[in-house]
Structures are given as C-alpha cells and as structure tokens.
Amino acid sequence: MPEASVAARGLGRAVIFLGPPGAGKGTQARQIAETYGVPHLSTGDMFREHVGRGTALGLRAKPIMERGELVPDDLVLSMIEDRISRPDCNEGFILDGFPRTLPQAGALDEILRRRFETEPLVVHFVVDQNQLMRRLTGRRTCKIGGEIYNVYDHPPKVPGRCDRDGGELVQRPDDREDVITERLTAYERQTRPLVDYYRSRGVLKDVNGMASPEAVTKSVLELLGQK
Ligand code: AMP
C-alpha cells in the first residue's frame, strides 16, 4: 500500500466534497482523510456536536436542522473559519458539507487565499436523484466512531451494531422522509449553483457517486493524485 507516502505528503490544499445529501460525501471523506492523514471537516458533524452539548450555537441550529433547512451563513462561517485556522489544517483538509451557498463559497475563497497558494479541488459526487431517498432513509451511524452504514446496501454484520467497535447504530433525526425532501430542495435551490461556480473556474471534477464505495474511493484517489 502506498498509503504511508501519501500520508506524509498531506494534500497541500483544501479539497471540497460537493454533492446532495446521501451522495456518499461523508463516507468518502472519512476514508480519504484517513489515507492522507488530514482533517475531515464536516460542518454537519460540528453542528450535531454543538446540539449534543447544548451550546448556544447548538440551540440555534437544532430547530433549523430538524426542519431540513440551512443554518444561516454567518453562524456556519465563524464556526468553520475557527476550525480551518488550527495548525492541523496546514497540510490541507477535506471539507464535507461546506460550502453550501454562494456567499459561503465566496467567504471560503478569501480564507483559502490567505492560507494556500494552490486553488482548492472540488470533487462533485454525481448521483441519481431517485437513489438519494433510499440511501438517506437506510443510513445508520455508529454512536461511538461515526462509521456510516446502510441497512439496504451496506448493512452491519450484527444488526444495529458497528462492525468496527460494536457501537450502537442510530438514525439521524433529519433522515426522516419529510425532512429529507426539504434537505434535497435546499440543495437544489441553494447549493447546486456552486457546481457552475467552481466548474467555470476549472477546479471541479465529477465523480460517479453511483459506483460501489470502493470504486468511488479509487476514483477520488486518482483525482487527488493528478496535478
Ligand atoms: P449534513 O450532515 O452535511 O447533512 O448537515 C446536516 C444539517 O446541518 C444540514 O441540513 C444543515 O441544517 C446544517 N448544515 C451543515 N452544513 C451546513 C452549511 N455549510 N451551511 C448551512 N447549514 C449547514
């Protein structure tokens, strides 16, 4: 495995995983971040942590997330800017679920210009709309390590338990059908325009998100290895 040399190199830039909810961004981001030894920054995970801890930010975000809407840009931006400024992000990082609006993308450009010489790479996960509902309603997450399963397509060996650490598998409260519909609408309206925003700058690469998780990981690693 060439993973040691890959990890030693880091990514050297920000890599943005873009795609609708259920496209596989979280699963892939965990895998690729581990391979490269860089942080995986998921704004959704950060908000869920705030909600779990009952912080002021969590209390504001909770009802918005429960409706499947987007948290206001200023709240997202102060949280992510603080995280990106930490030294463990010096060798690059993977953004999963951020940016999600054009103002967020503009603010991220500013942050990255100060930090990296290289443009970010945007990996766009292309998935059929009709697959997303199945993936999201079937999703279960390990309470301990955050490992992601799908009861239909990638079930755990023991129902309800994580293969890795035996942790309880839980369903996200926003993975209910009515909330999912709202989240997909928010994606189409507010996030989809980012595809053109980055494509027109020549920094976006499409990946077929319908392939097996292993095949998708391989495609993403190939993209990251290209100059
Ligand atoms: P995710 O885990 O990425 O699906 O995010 C879960 C929820 O967190 C979203 O439905 C939003 O309510 C909120 N959220 C996460 N990231 C962002 C973001 N970049 N901008 C606004 N809201 C976000």
Side-chain angles (χ1 to χ4, degrees):
M1 292 286 270
E3 292 194 0
S5 60
V6 167
R9 219 172 58 226
L11 278 168
R13 60 181 161 183
V15 175
I16 299 166
F17 281 7
L18 183 64
K25 303 185 299 296
T27 302
Q28 295 299 327
R30 287 172 65 82
Q31 182 67 44
I32 305 280
E34 196 176 311
T35 304
Y36 276 88
V38 296
H40 163 205
L41 309 186
S42 155
T43 42
D45 284 350
M46 291 178 200
F47 281 126
R48 278 184 288 278
E49 204 196 308
H50 277 278
V51 170
R53 284 179 18 228
T55 66
L57 178 57
L59 290 176
R60 284 193 68 181
K62 188 168 185 263
I64 301 171
M65 293 170 76
E66 282 172 352
R67 291 197 300 271
E69 295 168 8
L70 294 187
V71 175
D73 290 337
D74 55 335
L75 297 184
V76 184
L77 282 165
S78 54
M79 180 179 75
I80 193 75
E81 184 158 17
D82 186 60
R83 180 65 190 86
I84 292 175
S85 64
R86 293 199 212 149
D88 66 342
C89 288
N90 285 347
E91 302 305 320
F93 47 88
I94 296 178
L95 288 168
D96 160 17
F98 175 86
R100 255 176 157 105
T101 64
L102 285 169
Q104 288 181 19
L108 176 65
D109 282 338
E110 269 307 305
I111 297 170
L112 295 182
R113 258 196 289 276
R114 281 184 252 130
R115 196 71 189 276
F116 295 99
E117 282 168 19
T118 324
E119 280 256 58
L121 173 70
V122 182
V123 180
H124 176 220
F125 293 80
V126 182
V127 180
D128 279 359
Q129 276 288 326
N130 53 19
Q131 271 293 313
L132 297 174
M133 187 59 83
R134 177 185 167 88
R135 286 187 176 194
L136 290 164
T137 52
R139 174 160 65 182
R140 300 291 183 275
T141 312
C142 173
K143 247 180 150 172
I144 298 174
E147 202 76 11
I148 302 166
Y149 295 85
N150 187 288
V151 293
Y152 310 119
D153 304 323
H154 173 47
K157 292 196 183 87
V158 177
R161 291 284 157 196
C162 178
D163 293 349
R164 219 182 227 193
D165 53 27
E168 186 191 347
L169 301 184
V170 292
Q171 183 169 33
R172 277 173 42 172
D174 58 350
D175 278 345
R176 284 197 346 244
E177 219 167 304
D178 53 336
V179 187
I180 292 170
T181 305
E182 201 50 56
R183 288 163 60 208
L184 293 175
T185 305
Y187 179 81
E188 289 306 320
R189 213 173 29 223
Q190 292 166 276
T191 311
R192 171 86 63 193
L194 300 190
V195 174
D196 284 339
Y197 177 80
Y198 288 119
R199 200 189 294 284
S200 65
R201 267 165 51 185
V203 298
L204 181 137
K205 307 273 183 192
D206 292 314
V207 160
N208 173 15
M210 299 295 288
S212 70
E214 296 74 21
V216 177
T217 304
K218 192 164 169 277
S219 308
V220 176
L221 286 172
E222 276 167 18
L223 284 180
L224 295 177
Q226 287 170 14
K227 287 283 159 234

